[in-house]
Amino acid sequence: NIFSFHYLNNNYIMKKNYSNIYSFNKKIIKKTVNFLKLSNIVGLPTETVYGLAGNAYSDKAIKKIYSLKKRPRRNPLIIHYYNYEKAKKDVYFNKNFFKLYKRFCPGPITFVLKKNKNSDISSLATASLNTVAIRFPKHRVIKTLLKFLSFPLAMPSANISSGLSPIDAFNVFEEFKKKLKIIIDGGRSKIGIESTVVDLTNHPKILRPGIISPNEIRNILKTNFSKKKINLRSPGMMKKHYSPGIPVIIGQKPKNINHAYIVFGKRFKSSKNYFNLSKKGDLKEAAANLYKIMRKIKKNGFKKIYVSKIPSFGPGIAINDRLSRASK
Ligand code: TXA
Ligand code: MG
C-alpha cells in the first residue's frame, strides 16, 4: 500500500526531523536546567518572540550564542530574570525603573540600566558597555526555568542575525535545525514582536518600540520624551533588520499578482496576493500577525512585498518600525 508507506515514511521523517522539539513538562525543565548549567544553548518561547538562551554569567555560553546567530559582537544581548530581586547585584535600579516594573512586569518591556560593578554578567553579553538591558518575561516556560536557575539568561531572538524573529518552535527549527539540542514548544508567541526597549540611564528614551507604546510609558513616568525626537537606535542595531529575505516596498501598490500586498483594515477585499494584518483594524492583532504573514508570503514564493499605510500610533509605531527596517 503506497499510501500507507508514504504515510509511515512521512511520520518517520516528522519524528526524525523534529526530535529536538519538546513539549513543556517537568522532565524537560529538569533536562534544560542541567543543559544550561553546562553552558549549552536552547531555544525557548517567550510571550514576545522565541529566544536563544544561555547562561548570562558564562563567556562560553555567550560565545556560542553569537556564533549560532552570526551576530556582530558589538550588538549586546538582553539579560532575562525571574524578578527584580534576582537582578539586584547586576544593575543599579532607579525610580523610573520601579514605576515601569510595577506596571508592566513580568511582560514585554526591556530596561537599559547602569551595570553594577559587582555584576557577574559576561562582558561579551553586554559588548563591554557599562550598561545592561534587562527583561522579566511572562511566558510560563521561561518563568519556570528562571525560577530554578541560579543565573539569568542572555536571550536574543532565535533567528540568524538580520532575519525575522521566530514566533513558534518550528520557526526556530527552520533557523537552526539540529544545531540546537533542545527547543521547547510553548505555543505561538502571543505578542509576536520583540519587547519595547527603554533606556533609563538618563532621561528616558525609547530605543526600540514594541507593543507597549511610548504614550503608555510616558503616562507612567509622567516625564515627557516627546519633545526630543525618539531615538530608535541601539548600539549595534543594524539598519537592515527584520528582513524576510525578499524586497519590501512601503506605501505603493503591487504591480502584479506575483507581488504580495500587506494591508490593514476592512476596506481591503480578499485576494490571493493580499495579506491582511487585521481585518477588524486592531493594531495589537496586526503586530501578532506581522512575522507570521511575512514568513507565509516568503514560503508561498512571492518575489516582492508591498505594504499599504499602517496607522502610526500605539503598536502601529512598532509595526512601522519593523517594516521600515525590513525595507532597508
Ligand atoms: O522580546 C525580546 O526582547 C526578545 C525575547 C527573546 O526576549 N529578545 C530580543 O533580543 O529581541 P535581541 O537580541 O534580538 O534584541 C536586543 C536589543 C537590540 O536592539 C540591542 O541593541 C538592544 O536590545 N540592547 C541590548 N543591550 C543594550 C544596551 N546595553 N544598551 C542599549 N541597547 C541594548
Ligand atoms: Mg533580534
Side-chain angles (χ1 to χ4, degrees):
N1 184 326
I2 288 169
F3 177 77
S4 68
F5 169 77
H6 272 281
Y7 177 76
L8 284 172
N9 202 34
N10 277 336
N11 233 4
Y12 168 72
I13 289 166
M14 284 278 289
K15 267 219 167 97
K16 194 181 155 173
N17 275 349
Y18 297 133
S19 60
N20 52 345
I21 299 182
Y22 294 86
S23 45
F24 179 53
N25 57 44
K26 264 190 194 153
K27 214 173 132 190
I28 192 63
I29 290 297
K30 217 173 155 187
K31 186 172 163 156
T32 306
V33 164
N34 289 324
F35 202 61
L36 287 164
K37 277 183 187 163
L38 297 171
S39 292
N40 291 305
I41 308 307
V42 301
L44 296 179
T46 87
E47 71 279 14
T48 55
V49 299
Y50 272 63
L52 212 52
N55 180 351
Y57 294 161
S58 157
D59 286 347
K60 195 176 156 196
I62 302 304
K63 277 183 192 158
K64 284 185 190 169
I65 290 179
Y66 278 98
S67 100
L68 272 166
K69 265 186 78 81
K70 302 190 172 75
R71 178 169 173 130
R73 289 278 183 101
R74 63 172 191 283
N75 190 359
L77 308 177
I78 298 173
I79 315 301
H80 297 67
Y81 294 87
Y82 180 70
N83 59 20
Y84 83 93
E85 291 198 9
K86 287 207 178 198
K88 256 184 205 160
K89 77 171 183 7
D90 289 331
V91 296
Y92 294 115
F93 297 127
N94 56 35
K95 267 191 195 158
N96 284 338
F97 165 78
F98 284 112
K99 283 185 198 167
L100 294 172
Y101 182 86
K102 231 171 130 184
R103 172 67 185 81
F104 296 117
C105 293
I109 184 165
T110 295
F111 311 99
V112 175
L113 295 167
K114 293 226 164 72
K115 193 173 181 178
N116 192 311
K117 283 188 208 81
N118 303 318
S119 163
D120 286 324
I121 298 170
S122 161
S123 60
L124 298 172
T126 54
S128 302
L129 296 168
N130 55 11
T131 58
V132 197
I134 66 169
R135 173 161 122 73
F136 308 89
K138 192 176 184 162
H139 193 290
R140 69 184 182 125
V141 170
I142 177 86
K143 270 203 88 168
T144 307
L145 279 167
L146 288 170
K147 197 171 173 181
F148 288 123
L149 290 168
S150 57
F151 49 81
L153 293 173
M155 187 163 61
S157 52
N159 53 281
I160 308 288
S161 189
S162 94
L164 293 179
S165 294
I167 54 163
D168 67 30
F170 294 98
N171 293 165
V172 180
F173 182 88
E174 279 168 3
E175 294 281 320
F176 299 104
K177 304 281 176 352
K178 289 295 179 65
K179 283 185 192 159
L180 296 175
K181 294 285 173 292
I182 299 175
I183 300 170
I184 300 184
D185 181 356
R188 209 176 122 192
S189 294
K190 290 214 173 75
I191 290 168
I193 55 167
E194 306 78 0
S195 62
T196 304
V197 179
V198 55
D199 183 350
L200 299 175
T201 55
N202 279 302
H203 198 70
K205 223 188 289 175
I206 306 278
L207 301 181
R208 178 176 71 185
I211 209 78
I212 298 174
S213 70
N215 251 334
E216 279 179 276
I217 293 173
R218 201 179 290 130
N219 287 342
I220 302 292
L221 296 183
K222 305 210 164 53
T223 52
N224 203 346
F225 46 73
S226 69
K227 271 178 249 159
K228 284 195 172 185
K229 195 169 176 275
I230 294 171
N231 179 356
L232 296 176
R233 218 167 304 143
S234 264
M237 205 182 203
M238 293 141 294
K239 263 196 200 136
K240 186 190 153 92
H241 215 329
Y242 312 110
S243 164
I246 51 175
V248 176
I249 297 127
I250 295 171
Q252 287 177 40
K253 282 188 175 173
K255 307 283 179 281
N256 62 55
I257 195 97
N258 297 320
H259 297 164
Y261 195 27
I262 292 184
V263 299
F264 173 83
K266 58 174 179 282
R267 71 193 171 92
F268 293 94
K269 297 204 177 69
S270 313
S271 163
K272 239 190 170 168
N273 63 330
Y274 278 40
F275 296 84
N276 205 322
L277 292 176
S278 169
K279 277 190 185 124
K280 59 180 187 217
D282 176 341
L283 286 167
K284 230 175 176 173
E285 181 183 65
N289 283 331
L290 182 66
Y291 293 153
K292 193 184 81 169
I293 281 178
M294 283 167 92
R295 275 174 198 276
K296 193 173 168 189
I297 290 171
K298 177 86 192 296
K299 218 167 219 164
N300 290 1
F302 288 98
K303 297 287 179 264
K304 274 184 186 173
I305 301 178
Y306 286 80
V307 187
S308 77
K309 198 165 163 47
I310 290 154
S312 59
F313 58 86
I317 299 170
I319 297 170
N320 283 310
D321 167 68
R322 304 305 191 273
L323 284 169
S324 123
R325 285 177 201 281
S327 75
K328 291 279 153 56

Short mmCIF file of all heavy atoms in Angstrom, two decimals, residues 46 48-52 69 71 75-78 80 110 112-113 125-126 129 131-133 135 137 155-159 165 193-195 197 199 207-208 234-237 241-242, ligand 1:
data_model
loop_
_atom_site.label_atom_id
_atom_site.label_comp_id
_atom_site.label_asym_id
_atom_site.label_seq_id
_atom_site.Cartn_x
_atom_site.Cartn_y
_atom_site.Cartn_z
N THR A 46 8.96 32.86 24.50
CA THR A 46 8.56 33.94 25.39
C THR A 46 7.27 34.51 24.82
O THR A 46 6.86 34.14 23.73
CB THR A 46 9.61 35.07 25.56
OG1 THR A 46 9.42 36.04 24.52
CG2 THR A 46 11.04 34.56 25.54
N THR A 48 6.84 37.43 23.67
CA THR A 48 7.09 38.33 22.53
C THR A 48 7.47 37.52 21.29
O THR A 48 6.71 37.45 20.33
CB THR A 48 8.21 39.33 22.87
OG1 THR A 48 9.37 38.60 23.28
CG2 THR A 48 7.76 40.30 23.94
N VAL A 49 8.67 36.92 21.33
CA VAL A 49 9.16 36.06 20.26
C VAL A 49 9.97 34.95 20.92
O VAL A 49 10.24 35.01 22.11
CB VAL A 49 10.06 36.84 19.26
CG1 VAL A 49 9.29 37.98 18.61
CG2 VAL A 49 11.32 37.38 19.95
N TYR A 50 10.37 33.93 20.15
CA TYR A 50 11.21 32.87 20.70
C TYR A 50 12.65 33.36 20.82
O TYR A 50 13.09 34.19 20.02
CB TYR A 50 11.15 31.61 19.83
CG TYR A 50 10.00 30.69 20.19
CD1 TYR A 50 8.69 31.11 20.07
CD2 TYR A 50 10.24 29.40 20.68
CE1 TYR A 50 7.63 30.28 20.42
CE2 TYR A 50 9.20 28.54 21.02
CZ TYR A 50 7.89 28.98 20.89
OH TYR A 50 6.86 28.15 21.24
N GLY A 51 13.36 32.84 21.83
CA GLY A 51 14.73 33.28 22.07
C GLY A 51 15.73 32.14 22.07
O GLY A 51 15.37 30.96 22.16
N LEU A 52 16.99 32.54 21.97
CA LEU A 52 18.12 31.61 22.01
C LEU A 52 18.80 31.85 23.36
O LEU A 52 19.46 32.87 23.53
CB LEU A 52 19.05 31.98 20.86
CG LEU A 52 19.87 30.93 20.16
CD1 LEU A 52 19.02 29.78 19.69
CD2 LEU A 52 20.59 31.56 18.97
N LYS A 69 24.02 32.68 16.00
CA LYS A 69 23.20 33.71 15.36
C LYS A 69 23.95 34.46 14.24
O LYS A 69 23.33 35.22 13.50
CB LYS A 69 22.77 34.76 16.40
CG LYS A 69 21.42 34.53 17.01
CD LYS A 69 21.03 35.70 17.91
CE LYS A 69 20.54 36.92 17.18
NZ LYS A 69 19.16 36.90 16.75
N ARG A 71 25.86 36.86 14.85
CA ARG A 71 25.57 38.23 15.28
C ARG A 71 26.86 39.01 15.50
O ARG A 71 27.78 38.48 16.11
CB ARG A 71 24.77 38.18 16.58
CG ARG A 71 24.42 39.53 17.20
CD ARG A 71 23.42 39.27 18.29
NE ARG A 71 23.07 40.39 19.10
CZ ARG A 71 21.80 40.71 19.36
NH1 ARG A 71 20.82 40.04 18.79
NH2 ARG A 71 21.51 41.69 20.17
N ASN A 75 26.86 44.07 19.14
CA ASN A 75 25.43 44.20 19.41
C ASN A 75 25.06 43.43 20.69
O ASN A 75 24.98 42.20 20.68
CB ASN A 75 24.64 43.68 18.20
CG ASN A 75 23.16 44.01 18.30
OD1 ASN A 75 22.71 44.60 19.27
ND2 ASN A 75 22.40 43.60 17.30
N PRO A 76 24.85 44.15 21.80
CA PRO A 76 24.67 43.48 23.10
C PRO A 76 23.36 42.70 23.23
O PRO A 76 22.41 42.94 22.49
CB PRO A 76 24.71 44.64 24.09
CG PRO A 76 24.27 45.83 23.31
CD PRO A 76 24.75 45.61 21.91
N LEU A 77 23.32 41.80 24.21
CA LEU A 77 22.15 40.91 24.41
C LEU A 77 21.29 41.39 25.57
O LEU A 77 21.76 42.09 26.46
CB LEU A 77 22.64 39.49 24.71
CG LEU A 77 23.64 38.89 23.72
CD1 LEU A 77 24.08 37.51 24.20
CD2 LEU A 77 23.05 38.80 22.33
N ILE A 78 20.04 40.97 25.58
CA ILE A 78 19.14 41.26 26.71
C ILE A 78 19.29 40.13 27.74
O ILE A 78 19.32 38.95 27.38
CB ILE A 78 17.68 41.36 26.24
CG1 ILE A 78 17.52 42.52 25.25
CG2 ILE A 78 16.74 41.54 27.44
CD1 ILE A 78 16.13 42.61 24.62
N HIS A 80 17.72 38.12 30.88
CA HIS A 80 16.36 37.83 31.39
C HIS A 80 16.40 37.27 32.81
O HIS A 80 17.19 36.37 33.10
CB HIS A 80 15.67 36.83 30.46
CG HIS A 80 15.46 37.34 29.06
ND1 HIS A 80 16.51 37.59 28.20
CD2 HIS A 80 14.33 37.65 28.39
CE1 HIS A 80 16.02 38.04 27.04
NE2 HIS A 80 14.70 38.08 27.13
N THR A 110 11.86 45.94 28.05
CA THR A 110 13.27 45.77 28.40
C THR A 110 13.83 47.11 28.87
O THR A 110 13.56 48.14 28.26
CB THR A 110 14.06 45.26 27.17
OG1 THR A 110 13.58 43.96 26.83
CG2 THR A 110 15.56 45.20 27.43
N VAL A 112 17.17 49.44 29.90
CA VAL A 112 18.63 49.62 29.88
C VAL A 112 19.00 50.40 31.13
O VAL A 112 18.48 51.50 31.38
CB VAL A 112 19.11 50.34 28.60
CG1 VAL A 112 20.61 50.63 28.67
CG2 VAL A 112 18.78 49.50 27.37
N LEU A 113 19.87 49.80 31.95
CA LEU A 113 20.29 50.39 33.22
C LEU A 113 21.81 50.35 33.33
O LEU A 113 22.48 49.66 32.56
CB LEU A 113 19.68 49.60 34.40
CG LEU A 113 18.15 49.64 34.52
CD1 LEU A 113 17.67 48.58 35.51
CD2 LEU A 113 17.66 51.03 34.94
N ALA A 125 28.43 39.60 26.71
CA ALA A 125 26.98 39.73 26.54
C ALA A 125 26.56 41.19 26.43
O ALA A 125 25.56 41.52 25.79
CB ALA A 125 26.24 39.05 27.69
N THR A 126 27.33 42.07 27.07
CA THR A 126 26.98 43.49 27.05
C THR A 126 27.88 44.27 26.10
O THR A 126 27.91 45.50 26.15
CB THR A 126 27.09 44.09 28.48
OG1 THR A 126 28.39 43.83 28.98
CG2 THR A 126 26.04 43.51 29.40
N LEU A 129 29.91 47.28 27.26
CA LEU A 129 29.32 48.57 27.65
C LEU A 129 29.22 48.63 29.18
O LEU A 129 29.31 47.61 29.85
CB LEU A 129 27.92 48.71 27.06
CG LEU A 129 27.81 48.75 25.53
CD1 LEU A 129 26.35 48.60 25.11
CD2 LEU A 129 28.37 50.07 25.02
N THR A 131 26.47 49.55 30.51
CA THR A 131 25.02 49.43 30.72
C THR A 131 24.59 48.00 30.41
O THR A 131 25.31 47.26 29.73
CB THR A 131 24.25 50.38 29.80
OG1 THR A 131 24.59 50.07 28.44
CG2 THR A 131 24.58 51.84 30.08
N VAL A 132 23.40 47.61 30.94
CA VAL A 132 22.83 46.29 30.66
C VAL A 132 21.36 46.44 30.31
O VAL A 132 20.65 47.22 30.95
CB VAL A 132 22.87 45.36 31.89
CG1 VAL A 132 22.66 43.91 31.47
CG2 VAL A 132 24.11 45.52 32.70
N ALA A 133 20.90 45.66 29.35
CA ALA A 133 19.47 45.58 29.05
C ALA A 133 18.90 44.39 29.78
O ALA A 133 19.40 43.27 29.65
CB ALA A 133 19.27 45.44 27.54
N ARG A 135 15.27 42.18 31.20
CA ARG A 135 13.85 41.95 30.93
C ARG A 135 13.32 40.84 31.83
O ARG A 135 14.07 39.94 32.21
CB ARG A 135 13.68 41.59 29.45
CG ARG A 135 12.28 41.16 29.05
CD ARG A 135 12.06 41.28 27.55
NE ARG A 135 11.68 40.06 26.87
CZ ARG A 135 10.48 39.49 26.94
NH1 ARG A 135 9.53 39.99 27.70
NH2 ARG A 135 10.23 38.36 26.28
N PRO A 137 10.47 38.25 31.52
CA PRO A 137 9.45 37.70 30.62
C PRO A 137 8.31 37.03 31.38
O PRO A 137 8.45 36.63 32.54
CB PRO A 137 10.23 36.68 29.80
CG PRO A 137 11.39 36.31 30.64
CD PRO A 137 11.73 37.50 31.47
N MET A 155 19.40 36.25 26.15
CA MET A 155 18.49 35.63 25.16
C MET A 155 18.09 36.60 24.05
O MET A 155 17.15 37.36 24.17
CB MET A 155 17.25 35.11 25.89
CG MET A 155 16.34 34.30 25.00
SD MET A 155 15.16 33.28 25.92
CE MET A 155 14.26 34.51 26.79
N PRO A 156 18.81 36.55 22.94
CA PRO A 156 18.37 37.30 21.76
C PRO A 156 17.27 36.51 21.06
O PRO A 156 17.04 35.34 21.39
CB PRO A 156 19.62 37.34 20.89
CG PRO A 156 20.35 36.08 21.24
CD PRO A 156 20.04 35.79 22.70
N SER A 157 16.60 37.12 20.12
CA SER A 157 15.60 36.40 19.33
C SER A 157 16.28 35.25 18.60
O SER A 157 17.44 35.36 18.19
CB SER A 157 14.94 37.36 18.34
OG SER A 157 15.92 38.05 17.59
N ALA A 158 15.56 34.13 18.44
CA ALA A 158 16.16 32.90 17.93
C ALA A 158 16.16 32.84 16.40
O ALA A 158 15.57 31.95 15.80
CB ALA A 158 15.45 31.68 18.52
N ASN A 159 16.83 33.83 15.79
CA ASN A 159 16.96 33.86 14.33
C ASN A 159 18.39 34.20 13.97
O ASN A 159 19.10 34.81 14.77
CB ASN A 159 16.03 34.92 13.73
CG ASN A 159 16.24 36.27 14.38
OD1 ASN A 159 15.75 36.53 15.48
ND2 ASN A 159 17.00 37.12 13.71
N SER A 165 12.24 37.46 13.44
CA SER A 165 12.19 36.74 14.70
C SER A 165 11.17 35.61 14.62
O SER A 165 10.13 35.75 14.00
CB SER A 165 11.79 37.69 15.83
OG SER A 165 12.79 38.66 16.05
N ILE A 193 5.91 40.39 18.36
CA ILE A 193 7.06 41.23 18.03
C ILE A 193 7.90 41.44 19.30
O ILE A 193 7.40 41.24 20.41
CB ILE A 193 6.68 42.62 17.44
CG1 ILE A 193 5.74 43.37 18.37
CG2 ILE A 193 6.07 42.48 16.05
CD1 ILE A 193 5.58 44.82 18.02
N GLU A 194 9.14 41.87 19.11
CA GLU A 194 10.08 41.97 20.21
C GLU A 194 9.67 43.05 21.22
O GLU A 194 8.95 43.99 20.89
CB GLU A 194 11.48 42.29 19.68
CG GLU A 194 12.00 41.35 18.60
CD GLU A 194 11.42 41.62 17.22
OE1 GLU A 194 10.60 42.55 17.09
OE2 GLU A 194 11.76 40.89 16.28
N SER A 195 10.20 42.92 22.43
CA SER A 195 9.87 43.83 23.53
C SER A 195 10.23 45.29 23.22
O SER A 195 11.12 45.56 22.42
CB SER A 195 10.61 43.39 24.80
OG SER A 195 12.02 43.47 24.59
N VAL A 197 12.20 48.45 24.06
CA VAL A 197 13.43 48.70 24.81
C VAL A 197 13.48 50.16 25.22
O VAL A 197 13.39 51.05 24.37
CB VAL A 197 14.70 48.35 23.98
CG1 VAL A 197 15.97 48.64 24.78
CG2 VAL A 197 14.68 46.90 23.52
N ASP A 199 15.62 53.03 27.45
CA ASP A 199 16.87 53.39 28.12
C ASP A 199 16.54 54.28 29.31
O ASP A 199 16.00 55.38 29.14
CB ASP A 199 17.78 54.11 27.12
CG ASP A 199 19.14 54.47 27.71
OD1 ASP A 199 19.31 54.32 28.94
OD2 ASP A 199 20.02 54.88 26.94
N LEU A 207 14.42 53.00 22.75
CA LEU A 207 15.41 52.58 21.77
C LEU A 207 14.80 51.67 20.70
O LEU A 207 15.27 51.63 19.58
CB LEU A 207 16.56 51.85 22.46
CG LEU A 207 17.34 52.62 23.52
CD1 LEU A 207 18.46 51.74 24.08
CD2 LEU A 207 17.91 53.91 22.97
N ARG A 208 13.78 50.93 21.11
CA ARG A 208 13.08 50.05 20.16
C ARG A 208 11.60 50.02 20.55
O ARG A 208 11.28 49.63 21.66
CB ARG A 208 13.66 48.63 20.21
CG ARG A 208 12.95 47.65 19.27
CD ARG A 208 13.58 46.26 19.24
NE ARG A 208 13.35 45.52 20.46
CZ ARG A 208 13.88 44.32 20.73
NH1 ARG A 208 14.69 43.74 19.86
NH2 ARG A 208 13.62 43.70 21.86
N SER A 234 19.82 51.47 18.93
CA SER A 234 20.56 50.80 19.98
C SER A 234 21.96 50.53 19.46
O SER A 234 22.15 50.45 18.26
CB SER A 234 19.90 49.45 20.28
OG SER A 234 19.03 49.55 21.35
N PRO A 235 22.93 50.38 20.37
CA PRO A 235 24.28 50.08 19.88
C PRO A 235 24.25 48.80 19.06
O PRO A 235 23.64 47.83 19.45
CB PRO A 235 25.08 49.89 21.16
CG PRO A 235 24.08 49.68 22.23
CD PRO A 235 22.86 50.42 21.81
N GLY A 236 24.89 48.85 17.93
CA GLY A 236 25.00 47.64 17.12
C GLY A 236 23.74 47.31 16.34
O GLY A 236 23.71 46.37 15.57
N MET A 237 22.70 48.09 16.54
CA MET A 237 21.48 47.78 15.82
C MET A 237 21.68 48.14 14.35
O MET A 237 21.95 49.27 14.01
CB MET A 237 20.31 48.56 16.40
CG MET A 237 19.00 47.86 16.13
SD MET A 237 17.65 48.85 16.76
CE MET A 237 16.42 47.57 16.97
N HIS A 241 17.34 44.96 9.05
CA HIS A 241 16.97 44.11 10.17
C HIS A 241 15.57 43.59 9.89
O HIS A 241 14.87 44.12 9.05
CB HIS A 241 16.96 44.97 11.44
CG HIS A 241 17.40 44.23 12.65
ND1 HIS A 241 17.21 42.90 12.84
CD2 HIS A 241 18.03 44.64 13.77
CE1 HIS A 241 17.71 42.53 14.00
NE2 HIS A 241 18.21 43.56 14.60
N TYR A 242 15.18 42.53 10.57
CA TYR A 242 13.82 42.01 10.43
C TYR A 242 13.47 41.76 8.96
O TYR A 242 12.36 42.02 8.52
CB TYR A 242 12.81 42.97 11.05
CG TYR A 242 13.20 43.44 12.44
CD1 TYR A 242 13.59 44.75 12.69
CD2 TYR A 242 13.21 42.54 13.50
CE1 TYR A 242 13.97 45.16 13.95
CE2 TYR A 242 13.59 42.95 14.77
CZ TYR A 242 13.97 44.26 14.99
OH TYR A 242 14.35 44.67 16.23
O1 TXA B 1 11.32 40.44 23.09
C1 TXA B 1 12.54 40.43 23.18
O2 TXA B 1 13.19 41.39 23.66
C2 TXA B 1 13.28 39.19 22.65
C3 TXA B 1 12.92 38.00 23.57
C4 TXA B 1 13.62 36.72 23.17
O3 TXA B 1 13.15 38.32 24.91
N1 TXA B 1 14.69 39.40 22.61
C5 TXA B 1 15.27 40.22 21.68
O4 TXA B 1 16.65 40.28 21.72
O5 TXA B 1 14.63 40.84 20.86
P1 TXA B 1 17.56 40.85 20.55
O6 TXA B 1 18.95 40.49 20.91
O7 TXA B 1 17.05 40.35 19.26
O8 TXA B 1 17.41 42.40 20.66
C6 TXA B 1 18.05 43.09 21.73
C7 TXA B 1 18.02 44.58 21.52
C8 TXA B 1 19.00 45.00 20.44
O9 TXA B 1 18.41 46.03 19.68
C9 TXA B 1 20.17 45.54 21.25
O10 TXA B 1 20.92 46.51 20.55
C10 TXA B 1 19.48 46.13 22.46
O11 TXA B 1 18.42 45.24 22.73
N2 TXA B 1 20.37 46.22 23.62
C11 TXA B 1 20.90 45.23 24.34
N3 TXA B 1 21.71 45.69 25.32
C12 TXA B 1 21.70 47.02 25.22
C13 TXA B 1 22.33 48.09 25.94
N4 TXA B 1 23.17 47.87 26.95
N5 TXA B 1 22.05 49.37 25.55
C14 TXA B 1 21.22 49.62 24.53
N6 TXA B 1 20.59 48.65 23.81
C15 TXA B 1 20.83 47.39 24.15
#
